Amino acid sequence: MKDIQIFLKYFQRDMNWEISDSNYQETKMSMLNNFMLLSTEVSEIAEEFRSIFNETSDLANEGNLCEDEAFDIAKEKYKVNIGKELSDCIAYLVKFANYFNIDLDESFYTKMDEIRYRKNRDN
Ligand SMILES: [Mg+2]
């Protein structure tokens, strides 16, 4: 994760895509804008999933494949696109982490431990 954080720090600086830090109002607008962009990317993952399910139905309805076989083919067809959308999401999440100087390795494993050992595992 550290490598990705460092890569994106410089990548986003080179592209002039950093969260603005000049004053409160500008930073607030920049954070909100980036949050909207992240939300859009999350929706794009849903769109890829929808494509997989539609493709599965189409292939299965054509008659030669059962649903599970059709699903395997559709998953393979959209795998690259899903990787791209997941990467878009990671880029925005890491941008926020970098803005707050959060070490995501530390934060991630601390959070996963918290989840593992908490009493109520439903949330
Ligand atoms: Mg995208």
Side-chain angles (χ1 to χ4, degrees), residues 16-121:
N16 202 23
W17 288 345
E18 291 177 296
I19 291 174
S20 172
D21 206 13
S22 54
N23 63 62
Y24 170 69
Q25 288 299 330
E26 203 170 303
T27 303
K28 180 180 171 185
M29 292 309 295
S30 181
M31 288 178 69
L32 290 172
N33 187 46
N34 276 282
F35 189 80
M36 287 188 287
L37 292 167
L38 169 62
S39 300
T40 302
E41 296 303 340
V42 171
S43 298
E44 288 176 8
I45 295 172
E47 235 177 279
E48 295 300 329
F49 288 174
R50 203 164 55 92
S51 295
I52 289 174
F53 300 141
N54 288 338
E55 181 94 9
T56 299
S57 294
D58 290 347
L59 289 170
N61 289 336
E62 287 169 9
N64 294 329
L65 299 170
C66 73
E67 273 187 340
D68 290 335
E69 291 167 331
F71 187 44
D72 284 342
I73 291 169
K75 281 191 295 186
E76 199 56 36
K77 181 177 176 181
Y78 289 95
K79 184 178 174 179
V80 170
N81 288 352
I82 291 170
K84 288 179 181 177
E85 302 308 342
L86 291 170
S87 298
D88 283 338
C89 291
I90 289 168
Y92 285 109
L93 292 171
V94 169
K95 186 189 289 195
F96 286 121
N98 283 346
Y99 177 77
F100 287 100
N101 293 316
I102 292 167
D103 178 336
L104 277 176
D105 283 319
E106 183 187 326
S107 186
F108 178 81
Y109 290 114
T110 300
K111 178 61 184 177
M112 293 304 111
D113 274 352
E114 196 183 301
I115 291 169
R116 182 187 306 275
Y117 298 112
R118 74 178 163 212
K119 289 180 183 160
N120 181 359
R121 294 187 178 198

